[in-house]
């Protein structure tokens, strides 16, 4: 009787636990809806403060349409397409997270643009790009179109999984573009005659205003970004205007150079580099930035091949080409670029007592040294630079961001309404080269003399426009940095693959060589018989031929076994990971519950 009662009690308790579990799930689904706990490294699923501020500033509804070829990709086994589907979930979750923070001001729509449908025509007309993927080469759409109530439109043509680190930035920028009705205003002060393509690109994307440095006393409030190229002997009024612009929160880009190749006014002084230097010493000194216009950086590790007047090719340590590995991959300005080319650059250092932070964006390698700018006039001997080269072992900063809450460099200036200190942090982009803006380092020409074609030889132009575009954004947008990626490999599995590969690959190679040798001997025996015009094989030949065939079958079997073993350890680990992720926790909870019930029943029986 007692045993029967105990069984009834245990069964009732289990039913009660089950009912309690279901109730908790239903309650949490309703009461905790919208609450999220992001435990990922780098907080991948938590929006940055900059994005949240941009979303809060939306004062009118924004309609976002995400196009994705769902049906076409649903059953694909192609690895690239499977990753694209995973990335689609990541993009969709980000948009839903953004929408949840705007109280309905972001309206989301998800469309599958099936081939030859109206939706496909609509996607193409909006600027979404179809990309051929997989073995069939069918076009896959994965883009975002945003629109506002005034017919303003912004588009991300295709979400590239390789740019996941900047997904939040690109999406937030699209939101900001929809809220701004006019182009950003860019001011330009230049001591060089820039090539037409620079000004053309600036004019197309921004409201470009060229400023006369000789009469400059103030910079208009509506200018968002000020570009100063090759400043030489600027008046105190002009320097003060730049100083106050930065203190007001304006974004500044400064290009200085020890030897500016395009400075035709400074050439001809004993055929040297004298007179081709520029500086912004009054502001640099106040900021604690060290820059020496009489020194040029050479870098053997990044010396670019140049064709000399004798048609011989050689690497010039004063003309530097930096590849993708040299460019900051966590910075939106440089992450998508493949190369930058600079010529006879200077460098920056930050004084130890400076209150500002110098964040390097581009540095030389260890095989670098300094030479006098005077020795690098027109027609300098690059081979002589090689002969006299002696690396200092120091890496020099060529491009950097200067960050901090800026103070004025002109304490004694008497202008009314002047500022002594900025109200918030700001940043200045410093570039120790002006040749980066010249056509000589952007593009080359080919084709016939009558019809020359311009071909890009670096990403200098893209980098320049990216920089202006980034600095012209709101402070909130600029604070959004690159994030980690959600699709991260299992490093332990990758290590196991590498170990297994090393363990079995030599055996596989040995068997493959023996198989090839066996096959070669078999064919040689057959060919010899044909050449001797024999109609059949001798008994010894037939036995040898049978032995080759038998051994060939054995080797092929051994090869299959080696290849199976190659993945055995990995399969076992993956099975364990699935067991831990799917079954281990429920099993532990069940065992714990049973142990608790058993313990309770035993205690009552005592």
């Amino acid at each position: 009787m007692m045993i029967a009662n105990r069984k009834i009690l245990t069964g009732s308790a289990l039913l009660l636990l089950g009912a309690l579990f279901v109730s908790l799930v239903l309650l949490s689904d309703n009461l905790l809806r919208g609450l999220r706990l992001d435990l990922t490294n780098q907080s991948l699923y938590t929006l940055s403060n900059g994005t949240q501020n941009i979303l809060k500033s939306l004062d009118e509804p924004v309609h976002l349409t995400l196009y994705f070829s769902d049906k076409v990709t649903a059953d694909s086994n192609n690895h690239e397409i499977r990753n694209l589907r995973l990335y689609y979930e990541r993009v969709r979750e980000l948009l839903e997270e953004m929408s949840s923070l705007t109280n309905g001001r972001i309206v989301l729509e998800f469309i599958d643009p099936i081939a030859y449908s109206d939706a496909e025509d609509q996607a193409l007309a909006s600027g979404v790009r179809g990309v051929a993927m997989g073995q069939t080469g069918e076009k896959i759409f994965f883009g975002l179109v945003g629109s506002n109530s005034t017919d303003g439109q912004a588009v991300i043509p295709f979400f590239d999984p390789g740019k996941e680190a900047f997904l939040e930035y690109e999406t937030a920028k699209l939101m900001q573009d929809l809220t701004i009705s006019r182009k950003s205003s860019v001011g330009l002060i230049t001591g060089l005659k820039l090539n037409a393509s620079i000004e053309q690109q600036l004019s197309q994307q921004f409201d470009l205003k060229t400023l006369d440095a000789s009469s400059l006393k103030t910079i208009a409030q509506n200018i968002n970004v000020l570009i100063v190229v090759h400043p030489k002997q600027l008046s105190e009024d002009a320097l003060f205007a730049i100083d106050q612009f930065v203190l007001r929160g304006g974004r500044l880009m400064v290009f200085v150079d020890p030897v500016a190749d395009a400075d035709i006014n400074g050439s001809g002084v004993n055929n040297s580099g004298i007179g081709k230097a520029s500086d912004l010493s009054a502001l640099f000194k106040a900021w604690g930035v060290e820059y020496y216009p009489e020194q040029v950086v050479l870098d053997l590790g990044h010396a670019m091949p140049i064709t000399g007047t004798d048609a011989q090719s050689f690497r010039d340590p004063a003309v530097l080409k930096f590849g993708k590995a040299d460019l900051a991959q966590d910075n939106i300005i440089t992450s998508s670029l493949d190369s930058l080319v600079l010529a006879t650059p200077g460098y920056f250092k930050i004084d130890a007592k400076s209150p500002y932070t110098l964040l390097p964006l581009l540095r030389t390698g260890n095989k670098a040294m300094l030479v006098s700018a005077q020795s690098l006039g027109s027609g300098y001997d690059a081979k002589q630079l090689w002969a006299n080269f002696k690396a200092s072992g120091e890496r020099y900063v060529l491009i950097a961001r200067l960050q901090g809450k800026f103070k004025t460099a002109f304490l004694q200036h008497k202008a009314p309404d002047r500022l002594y200190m900025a109200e918030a942090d700001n940043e200045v982009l410093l570039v120790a080269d002006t040749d980066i803006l010249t056509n000589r380092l952007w593009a080359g020409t080919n084709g016939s003399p009558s019809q020359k074609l311009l071909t890009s030889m670096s990403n200098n132009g893209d980098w320049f426009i990216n920089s202006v575009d980034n600095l012209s954004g709101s402070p909130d947008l600029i604070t959004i940095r690159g994030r980690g990626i959600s699709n991260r490999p299992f490093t332990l599995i990758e290590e196991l693959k590498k170990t297994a590969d090393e363990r079995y690959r030599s055996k596989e190679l040995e068997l493959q060589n023996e198989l090839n040798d066996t096959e070669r001997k078999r064919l040689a025996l057959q060919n010899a018989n044909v050449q001797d015009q024999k109609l059949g094989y001798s008994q010894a030949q037939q036995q040898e031929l049978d032995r080759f065939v038998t051994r060939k079958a054995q080797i092929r079997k051994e090869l299959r076994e080696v290849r199976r073993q190659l993945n055995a350890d990995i399969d076992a680990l993956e099975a364990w990971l699935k067991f831990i992720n799917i079954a281990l926790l429920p099993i532990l909870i069940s065992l714990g519950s049973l142990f608790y019930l058993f313990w309770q029943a035993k205690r009552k029986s005592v």
Side-chain angles (χ1 to χ4, degrees):
M1 185 67 180
M2 185 177 293
I3 295 174
N5 289 337
R6 189 178 298 171
K7 287 182 178 179
I8 292 172
L9 178 65
T10 304
S12 301
L14 286 174
L15 287 174
L16 183 62
L17 278 175
L20 182 62
F21 176 76
V22 173
S23 301
L24 283 175
V25 170
L26 293 175
L27 281 173
S28 63
D29 185 50
N30 287 281
L31 298 178
L32 304 181
R33 180 170 295 173
L35 293 180
R36 299 178 183 213
L37 180 62
D38 184 359
L39 299 178
T40 59
N41 188 22
Q42 300 184 41
S43 299
L44 289 178
Y45 298 95
T46 302
L47 296 178
S48 65
N49 291 333
T51 300
Q52 294 185 36
N53 290 335
I54 290 173
L55 295 176
K56 289 175 184 174
S57 69
L58 293 176
D59 53 7
E60 64 174 18
V62 170
H63 193 105
L64 298 181
T65 305
L66 180 62
Y67 291 93
F68 180 68
S69 301
D70 190 26
K71 291 183 180 176
V72 171
T73 59
D75 299 324
S76 175
N77 292 320
N78 182 281
H79 179 69
E80 191 178 15
I81 294 177
R82 301 307 301 173
N83 280 340
L84 197 69
R85 287 188 64 85
L86 290 175
Y87 192 43
Y88 166 68
E89 294 299 329
R90 171 85 174 95
V91 174
R92 180 167 180 146
E93 287 175 357
L94 176 73
L95 295 177
E96 290 174 341
E97 174 74 7
M98 289 180 164
S99 177
S100 67
L101 294 178
T102 61
N103 295 322
R105 288 193 298 278
I106 291 181
V107 180
L108 293 178
E109 185 178 10
F110 303 96
I111 293 180
D112 182 355
I114 299 171
Y116 309 110
S117 66
D118 292 341
E120 184 186 49
D121 294 340
Q122 184 183 4
L124 289 170
S126 300
V128 176
R129 182 160 47 92
V131 175
M133 299 180 74
Q135 293 181 344
T136 61
E138 192 164 0
K139 283 189 176 180
I140 294 176
F141 292 86
F142 186 15
L144 181 67
V145 179
S147 58
N148 56 26
S149 59
T150 58
D151 296 332
Q153 182 171 296
V155 181
I156 297 177
F158 191 87
F159 283 107
D160 180 359
K163 297 176 67 177
E164 183 183 352
F166 303 106
L167 171 63
E168 183 181 343
Y169 175 88
E170 289 186 335
T171 311
K173 186 175 186 305
L174 179 140
M175 303 284 187
Q176 182 179 267
D177 290 344
L178 290 172
T179 62
I180 298 175
S181 58
R182 59 177 175 78
K183 292 181 179 178
S184 295
S185 184
V186 174
L188 175 63
I189 300 173
T190 178
L192 297 176
K193 181 174 175 54
L194 303 182
N195 61 51
S197 60
I198 290 180
E199 297 198 25
Q200 183 181 6
Q201 288 192 54
L202 284 175
S203 300
Q204 287 175 349
Q205 297 193 31
F206 308 98
D207 179 17
L208 181 63
K209 301 178 187 299
T210 302
L211 308 179
D212 183 0
S214 63
S215 60
L216 186 68
K217 292 188 177 180
T218 185
I219 295 171
Q221 298 276 349
N222 65 346
I223 289 182
N224 306 105
V225 180
L226 178 64
I227 305 170
V228 179
V229 181
H230 202 48
K232 297 173 70 174
Q233 300 175 347
L234 293 184
S235 67
E236 183 172 323
D237 284 342
L239 291 169
F240 179 71
I242 297 172
D243 172 90
Q244 294 295 294
F245 173 78
V246 174
L247 265 60
R248 286 203 315 266
R251 309 292 178 181
L252 176 64
M253 299 174 67
V254 178
F255 294 81
V256 290
D257 201 333
V259 182
D261 188 56
D263 186 354
I264 56 175
N265 296 323
S267 63
V269 182
N270 297 326
N271 201 31
S272 71
I274 295 176
K276 289 190 169 186
S278 52
D279 196 355
L280 206 62
S281 58
L283 296 180
F284 286 169
K285 185 177 178 181
W287 296 338
V289 173
E290 297 180 13
Y291 164 74
Y292 304 96
E294 67 278 7
Q295 292 184 328
V296 170
V297 178
L298 305 182
D299 184 355
L300 276 190
H302 296 93
M304 183 172 170
I306 298 292
T307 301
T309 54
D310 57 355
Q312 297 293 316
S313 177
F314 57 93
R315 294 169 63 213
D316 187 344
V319 181
L320 312 181
K321 184 168 187 175
F322 296 89
K324 199 173 186 65
D326 304 305
L327 305 176
Q329 296 304 300
D330 59 349
N331 190 293
I332 187 67
I333 296 176
T334 53
S335 64
S336 61
L337 306 183
D338 292 321
S339 66
L340 282 181
V341 180
L342 288 74
T344 60
Y347 70 101
F348 300 110
K349 289 178 70 175
I350 191 75
D351 187 279
K353 297 180 180 178
S354 173
Y356 307 108
T357 301
L358 190 75
L359 180 64
L361 297 182
L362 185 66
R363 295 193 293 183
T364 66
N366 293 325
K367 295 179 180 178
M369 67 171 293
L370 302 175
V371 296
S372 166
Q374 187 176 351
S375 63
L376 288 172
S378 59
Y380 64 84
D381 187 351
K383 294 178 181 175
Q384 194 62 37
L385 295 178
W386 270 88
N388 299 329
F389 193 90
K390 187 175 181 180
S392 67
E394 185 176 349
R395 298 183 67 189
Y396 299 94
V397 177
L398 309 177
I399 301 176
R401 288 179 185 265
L402 184 69
Q403 300 173 328
K405 187 176 285 187
F406 289 88
K407 297 178 181 178
T408 183
F410 300 92
L411 290 171
Q412 306 303 322
H413 205 283
K414 303 297 182 184
D417 301 328
R418 54 159 306 154
L419 298 174
Y420 288 93
M421 186 173 181
E423 293 185 355
D425 286 349
N426 196 358
E427 63 180 50
V428 174
L429 183 63
L430 301 174
V431 186
D433 185 44
T434 60
D435 302 309
I436 193 173
L437 300 177
T438 63
N439 249 349
R440 182 172 74 96
L441 302 187
W442 278 25
T445 57
N446 55 29
S448 64
S450 59
Q451 192 174 4
K452 290 186 176 180
L453 301 174
L454 203 63
T455 57
S456 175
M457 58 184 284
S458 73
N459 291 124
N460 288 12
D462 302 318
W463 169 83
F464 178 65
I465 294 300
N466 284 353
S467 301
V468 179
D469 187 47
N470 179 251
L471 291 178
S472 66
S474 69
D476 290 323
L477 187 64
I478 293 175
T479 60
I480 303 173
R481 304 299 185 200
R483 309 289 284 272
I485 58 175
S486 57
N487 188 15
R488 303 174 67 183
F490 288 101
T491 53
L492 180 57
I493 289 180
E494 292 300 320
E495 284 296 321
L496 273 176
K497 284 182 178 178
K498 186 178 177 182
T499 304
D501 190 73
E502 291 173 353
R503 188 189 308 165
Y504 296 110
R505 194 63 68 191
S506 60
K507 182 64 177 176
E508 181 185 31
L509 184 63
E510 180 186 332
L511 290 172
Q512 188 65 54
N513 289 336
E514 186 180 350
L515 179 64
N516 294 339
D517 188 53
T518 302
E519 180 67 11
R520 183 179 56 78
K521 288 178 179 177
R522 186 185 68 81
L523 290 174
L525 186 62
Q526 286 180 331
N527 291 336
N529 213 44
V530 171
Q531 288 175 1
D532 293 343
Q533 297 183 344
K534 296 179 180 178
L535 297 177
Y537 299 104
S538 65
Q539 185 177 3
Q541 287 176 324
Q542 187 62 51
Q543 288 177 349
E544 187 69 7
L545 197 59
D546 291 343
R547 191 180 69 80
F548 286 152
V549 172
T550 303
R551 181 56 188 154
K552 181 179 175 181
Q554 290 174 341
I555 293 173
R556 292 174 67 86
K557 183 179 180 181
E558 290 177 34
L559 269 174
R560 285 195 296 272
E561 178 63 19
V562 166
R563 286 167 183 163
R564 189 188 67 80
Q565 288 289 338
L566 194 63
N567 293 318
D569 293 341
I570 300 165
D571 292 342
L573 179 64
E574 288 181 340
W576 265 107
L577 288 176
K578 286 180 181 176
F579 173 76
I580 292 172
N581 286 333
I582 299 171
L584 183 59
L585 188 59
I587 289 174
L588 289 177
I589 293 175
S590 300
L591 288 176
S593 301
L594 289 174
F595 176 78
Y596 177 77
L597 291 173
F598 176 76
W599 177 72
Q600 286 280 28
K602 187 174 182 182
R603 194 179 65 170
K604 290 179 179 178
S605 65
V606 172

